Amino acid sequence: MNMVLIIIGMAIVTYIPRVLPLTVLEGKELPPFFQGVLKNIPYAVLGALIFPGILFIQPDDIWFGIAGAAAAFVLAFLGADVMVVVLGSIMFLSVYMLIGG
């Protein structure tokens, strides 16, 4: 019974922040500044999730992660699709490992 109450409590706590903006902001237009901030949140969170992984992918060789990130950045800057960026970075790091980097 205790576990059921915990699950119900977690469901309520998760549901409130999702429904509250819908009910409070219904029919209202946010200022352009806040719209811009909310549109950029996914990119900021993605960067915060990826950056530590870049630095600590191989604890003894920090340049491994930096080289992979640089390869991905160059491919993305050139306009490659996401899949091409990921696969290109993987291929670059595979070659990096083969040459003993």
Side-chain angles (χ1 to χ4, degrees):
M1 182 63 177
N2 193 20
M3 186 62 73
V4 173
L5 291 176
I6 291 173
I7 293 173
I8 291 171
M10 290 182 349
I12 291 170
V13 169
T14 303
Y15 183 72
I16 289 173
R18 293 172 190 251
V19 75
L20 195 60
L22 289 174
T23 56
V24 172
L25 298 175
E26 185 178 3
K28 297 178 182 170
E29 184 78 19
L30 287 175
F33 173 76
F34 289 119
Q35 288 180 5
V37 168
L38 292 174
K39 286 180 184 176
N40 289 320
I41 285 176
Y43 301 112
V45 171
L46 184 62
L49 290 172
I50 290 175
F51 188 72
I54 289 171
L55 296 179
F56 300 117
I57 190 167
Q58 282 193 352
D60 58 333
D61 185 13
I62 194 170
W63 292 107
F64 185 80
I66 293 172
F73 179 78
V74 168
L75 289 171
F77 186 76
L78 294 174
D81 290 336
V82 173
M83 189 59 83
V84 173
V85 170
V86 171
L87 293 176
S89 181
I90 291 170
M91 287 191 307
F92 178 82
L93 289 176
S94 298
V95 171
Y96 180 83
M97 287 180 63
L98 286 175
I99 62 172

